[in-house]
């Protein structure tokens, strides 16, 4: 069995380097090797990036840099098809100006990658990263349960706490067969919330072994993206794990777009 790999695209900019501390920790947790990829427009410039890594991340000194020439998104996706990484970790954008959501390269990779993609806000810089709190939103549908297993596995391996938030909107209850509908009295959770939480934990245990994993479940009501961002800030979340059905055009993906726009922590998108 081949060693798991995490693909880390770096273009040499200060913004792109913010993905490195996140990738290093995830690599340790997953026991995966880092595959650093540099894509230039004219000629390979891996030596400059290699020397810089030696200064900023001495533990990566001597690591082979996969230097390629071409369009960044095309080469990143080509490299992913070749090495089949467990995860791609990259910056949301490498512009010096703050963008509302994603740069063109990150957007293309998110759309077309066959593996999960972790997107790191460039403003976090190169400061060390840790994983103590993993937040996964769940709307009660079997489809979004796809994010539960990688989130729980990551939290378990990192000895982190798994936070699950269910944001309910009675007017827009999930119609997917097998969905776990929210308590009717969201303003009086003592009526049905304990039974709902118990059923949810039972379903979670069917998706992945809980073991000694510490799980906390939150119920919120309102705009999903706003409630998720608010909770992530209150709970000092280190990573948000989202399930995405792959549809981006309006009116789809409103929640993931809102979270990508406003979250200050890395976001791992699991393609369903």
């Amino acid at each position: 069995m081949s060693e798991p790999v995490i693909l880390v695209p770096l273009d040499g900019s200060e913004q792109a380097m913010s993905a490195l501390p996140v990738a290093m920790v995830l690599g340790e947790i997953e026991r995966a090797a880092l595959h650093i990829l540099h894509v230039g427009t004219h000629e390979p410039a891996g030596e400059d990036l290699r020397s810089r890594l030696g200064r900023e991340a001495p533990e990566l000194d001597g690591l082979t840099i996969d230097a390629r020439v071409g369009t960044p998104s095309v080469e990143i996706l080509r490299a992913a098809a070749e090495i089949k990484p467990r995860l791609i970790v990259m910056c949301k954008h490498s512009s010096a100006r703050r963008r509302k959501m994603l740069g063109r390269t990150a957007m293309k990779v998110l759309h077309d990658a066959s593996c999960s993609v972790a997107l790191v806000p460039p403003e976090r810089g190169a400061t060390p990263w840790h994983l103590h709190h993993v937040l996964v939103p769940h709307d009660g549908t079997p489809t979004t349960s796809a994010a539960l297993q990688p989130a729980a596995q990551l939290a378990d391996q990192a000895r982190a706490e798994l936070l699950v938030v269910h944001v309910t909107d009675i007017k827009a209850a999930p119609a997917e067969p097998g969905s776990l509908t929210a308590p009717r009295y969201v303003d009086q959770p003592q009526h049905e919330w304990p039974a709902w939480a118990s059923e949810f934990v039972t379903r979670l245990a069917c998706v992945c072994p809980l073991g000694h994993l510490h799980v906390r479940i939150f119920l919120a009501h309102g705009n999903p993206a706003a409630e998720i961002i608010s909770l992530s800030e209150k709970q000092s979340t280190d990573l948000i794990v989202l399930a995405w059905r792959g549809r981006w055009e309006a009116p789809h993906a409103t929640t993931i777009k809102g979270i990508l726009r406003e979250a200050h922590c890395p976001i791992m998108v699991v393609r369903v």
Side-chain angles (χ1 to χ4, degrees):
M1 182 178 292
S2 59
E3 182 181 25
V5 175
I6 292 177
L7 178 61
V8 189
L10 300 175
D11 63 9
S13 66
E14 292 287 343
Q15 291 75 22
M17 293 294 284
S18 64
L20 191 56
V22 177
M24 290 169 59
V25 172
L26 291 176
E28 292 176 1
I29 295 172
E30 296 275 6
R31 296 182 180 179
L34 299 188
H35 185 106
I36 308 296
L37 174 66
H38 179 273
V39 182
T41 55
H42 299 293
E43 60 183 69
E47 289 301 325
D48 292 338
L49 183 57
R50 186 178 293 107
S51 62
R52 185 173 176 184
L53 286 175
R55 295 193 303 270
E56 299 187 17
E59 59 269 48
L60 296 180
D61 189 20
L63 188 71
T64 300
I65 307 295
D66 184 357
R68 305 188 182 197
V69 177
T71 304
S73 59
V74 172
E75 296 303 322
I76 293 169
L77 291 168
R78 180 175 288 127
E82 292 170 1
I83 67 176
K84 295 178 173 52
R86 176 169 295 180
L87 177 69
I88 298 174
V89 181
M90 64 186 300
C91 187
K92 293 203 302 184
H93 64 82
S94 58
S95 171
R97 296 179 298 170
R98 177 177 173 81
R99 292 178 182 265
K100 289 186 176 180
M101 192 159 36
L102 298 178
R104 285 178 295 180
T105 298
M107 181 73 77
K108 181 66 174 173
V109 172
L110 177 62
H111 267 260
D112 296 343
S114 58
C115 63
S116 299
V117 179
L119 298 159
V120 182
E123 57 268 21
R124 79 164 308 279
T127 56
W129 184 73
H130 55 258
L131 188 60
H132 296 320
H133 303 282
V134 179
L135 174 64
V136 55
H138 197 279
D139 63 4
T141 63
T143 299
T144 57
S145 293
L148 285 174
Q149 185 169 8
Q153 182 178 347
L154 203 55
D156 184 47
Q157 292 173 332
R159 299 184 181 277
E161 184 177 43
L162 180 66
L163 311 174
V164 180
V165 57
H166 181 88
V167 183
T168 180
D169 184 347
I170 299 301
K171 296 179 180 179
E176 185 178 331
S179 295
L180 179 61
T181 55
R184 292 177 57 193
Y185 303 105
V186 293
D187 58 336
Q188 302 177 53
Q190 69 274 13
H191 289 293
E192 299 179 44
W193 177 238
W196 190 96
S198 177
E199 173 65 16
F200 181 86
V201 171
T202 299
R203 293 194 182 196
L204 177 60
C206 293
V207 174
C208 53
L210 297 182
H212 300 291
L213 182 64
H214 184 201
V215 182
R216 279 196 291 159
I217 305 175
F218 299 85
L219 176 66
H221 179 62
N223 178 276
E227 293 296 330
I228 292 165
I229 292 297
S230 176
L231 181 64
S232 72
E233 294 175 351
K234 289 178 181 177
Q235 299 296 325
S236 301
T237 299
D238 304 302
L239 179 70
I240 300 175
V241 181
L242 300 173
W244 179 42
R245 293 174 173 85
R247 302 187 67 178
W248 193 261
E249 69 281 2
H252 303 286
T254 54
T255 298
I256 189 173
K257 290 174 184 175
I259 295 172
L260 283 170
R261 187 181 296 113
E262 301 296 337
H264 297 292
C265 66
I267 299 167
M268 188 170 83
V269 180
V270 179
R271 188 71 168 267
V272 179

